[in-house]
């Protein structure tokens, strides 16, 4: 696997591949990789000729009081993992390569409706940062396919909407969430959990499974279900942010008649902010 630091280097590699009629896959990450990221690489590897991964801790998607500085940077270990997963090129640019200081950016990508819901409500500007950096990565790598994990359900919805709205020629590869043996969705932020919190954390998944089973058994008062499980999460030791039964297409709170649902949740546990989701029907 070759490490690329500049946009120009990536463009040259991609142009050469495209000249030879090869397909390009992209796995965008912020590093500190775990099995969930590697699953993205493995799934994407199986569908393309040239596989590019990126590692960039994107300052634009972090709020002022969030963990940008604390976010773990583990480039050496990540390189080995990506290489073993069959990645051909790793694009790991410096901040100045993505956001040159002498050319202040005047453009951002805002997926206006979806970005204000759920995680967007508690993290204003977050999805603008995500959509903008993903659009930049698409512009740099020109991938045929880009892989994202379904743990970040709302992020995928935002990116899907951006691709459609801006007529981007990228196919989304949506990859199932990888979980610990106890059911906790793998996330770089799980590293913030203490030993005691690690025992509590799988409770987020338990609450989702329980709510799913209530709905499958005919429960249609989704507001009541949300209240019940929010209280349940608080009793388990979380500080719940939201627990909402949503229409899977719009991510708006579901009506009792909707038939494709997803339950989205976010909760704080100590220093970690955990998110998870489960599809119903
Ligand atoms: O999911 C992530 O790791 C990030 O939001 C992404 C998609 C790499 C954009 O910075």
């Amino acid at each position: 696997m070759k490490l690329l630091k500049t946009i120009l280097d990536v463009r040259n590699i991609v142009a050469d591949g495209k000249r030879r009629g090869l397909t390009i896959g992209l796995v965008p990450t912020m590093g500190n990789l775990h099995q969930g990221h590697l699953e993205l690489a493995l799934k994407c590897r199986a569908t393309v000729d040239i596989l590019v991964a990126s590692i960039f801790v994107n300052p634009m998607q972090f709020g002022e009081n969030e963990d940008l500085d604390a976010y773990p940077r583990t480039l050496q270990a990540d390189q080995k993992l990506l290489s073993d997963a069959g990645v051909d090129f790793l694009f790991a640019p410096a901040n100045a390569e993505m956001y040159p200081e002498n050319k202040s950016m005047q453009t951002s990508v805002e997926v206006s409706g979806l970005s204000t819901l759920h995680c967007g409500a508690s993290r204003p500007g977050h999805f603008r940062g995500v959509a903008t950096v993903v659009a930049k990565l698409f512009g740099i790598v020109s991938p045929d396919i880009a892989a994202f994990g379904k743990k970040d359900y709302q992020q995928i919805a935002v990116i899907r909407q951006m691709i459609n709205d801006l007529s981007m020629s990228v196919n989304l590869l949506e990859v199932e969430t990888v979980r610990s043996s106890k059911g906790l969705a793998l996330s770089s932020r799980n590293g913030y959990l203490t030993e005691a919190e690690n025992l509590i954390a799988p409770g987020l998944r338990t609450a989702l499974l329980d709510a799913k089973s209530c709905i499958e058994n005919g429960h249609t008062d989704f507001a009541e279900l949300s209240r019940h499980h929010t209280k349940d999460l608080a009793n388990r030791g979380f500080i719940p942010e939201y627990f909402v039964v949503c229409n899977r297409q719009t991510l708006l709170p579901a009506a009792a008649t909707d038939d494709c649902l997803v339950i989205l949740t976010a909760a704080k546990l100590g220093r970690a902010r955990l998110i998870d989701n489960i599809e119903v029907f």
Side-chain angles (χ1 to χ4, degrees):
M1 185 184 73
K2 195 162 177 216
L3 177 63
L4 308 173
K5 291 280 194 187
T6 69
I7 293 173
L8 187 64
D9 281 348
V10 179
R11 290 229 163 97
N12 287 337
I13 296 291
V14 167
D16 179 60
K18 296 229 162 178
R19 248 192 319 271
R20 293 190 285 138
L22 303 178
T23 54
I24 315 282
L26 172 66
V27 178
T29 81
M30 297 204 301
N32 191 228
L33 303 180
H34 50 68
Q35 196 54 41
H37 295 109
L38 300 181
E39 196 60 22
L40 301 182
L42 292 170
K43 287 271 155 34
C44 203
R45 173 72 284 171
T47 65
V48 295
D49 299 313
I50 298 178
L51 183 56
V52 180
S54 63
I55 294 182
F56 180 61
V57 183
N58 172 35
M60 200 176 165
Q61 70 188 75
F62 287 78
E64 263 182 28
N65 299 315
E66 293 185 355
D67 57 343
L68 174 61
D69 293 335
Y71 201 87
R73 274 96 168 153
T74 52
L75 185 61
Q76 278 213 330
D78 292 347
Q79 273 182 266
K80 164 101 180 70
L81 292 171
L82 290 173
S83 170
D84 291 350
V87 171
D88 299 304
F89 298 98
L90 169 60
F91 177 46
N95 276 358
E97 182 70 8
M98 292 296 274
Y99 301 116
E101 276 158 27
N102 53 349
K103 293 190 223 150
S104 64
M105 286 233 318
Q106 297 193 18
T107 307
S108 62
V109 180
E110 175 106 40
V111 179
S112 54
L114 276 170
S115 296
T116 61
L117 308 170
H118 317 305
C119 284
S122 44
R123 304 183 70 190
H126 169 67
F127 287 117
R128 185 187 319 118
V130 170
T132 302
V133 82
V134 170
K136 276 172 79 74
L137 289 167
F138 286 177
I140 294 163
V141 179
S142 307
D144 299 283
I145 296 179
F148 295 87
K150 284 178 79 171
K151 178 182 74 71
D152 297 298
Y153 205 89
Q154 188 177 3
Q155 171 169 281
I156 293 195
V158 166
I159 292 167
R160 190 188 305 118
Q161 185 79 35
M162 173 185 80
I163 289 175
N164 288 336
D165 289 350
L166 300 182
S167 310
M168 293 172 158
S169 62
V170 182
N171 290 300
L172 267 188
L173 179 63
E174 301 182 17
V175 180
E176 288 305 324
T177 304
V178 179
R179 299 179 179 280
S180 73
S181 58
K182 300 267 185 296
L184 177 64
L186 298 193
S187 161
S188 301
R189 289 187 169 99
N190 292 355
Y192 296 148
L193 296 170
T194 63
E195 214 172 301
E197 289 160 356
N198 254 310
L199 298 176
I200 299 172
L204 200 60
R205 168 78 167 165
T206 313
L208 288 169
L209 285 168
D210 187 62
K212 175 179 156 103
S213 125
C214 289
I215 297 172
E216 285 172 346
N217 287 320
H219 197 113
T220 52
D221 186 346
F222 300 146
E224 195 276 326
L225 207 62
S226 292
R227 275 193 301 276
H228 171 80
H229 284 90
T230 304
K231 216 183 279 170
D232 172 60
L233 288 177
N235 289 340
R236 289 171 188 270
F238 292 93
I239 301 176
E241 223 171 66
Y242 61 81
F243 189 100
V244 204
V245 182
C246 298
N247 175 300
R248 211 186 289 175
Q249 261 72 52
T250 62
L251 299 195
L252 291 168
T257 48
D258 287 345
D259 51 7
C260 275
L261 307 176
V262 59
I263 311 172
L264 303 176
T265 187
K268 290 216 174 90
L269 187 57
R271 276 181 67 210
R273 180 179 179 277
L274 305 177
I275 60 173
D276 204 348
N277 63 78
I278 197 163
E279 291 178 336
V280 187
F281 303 131

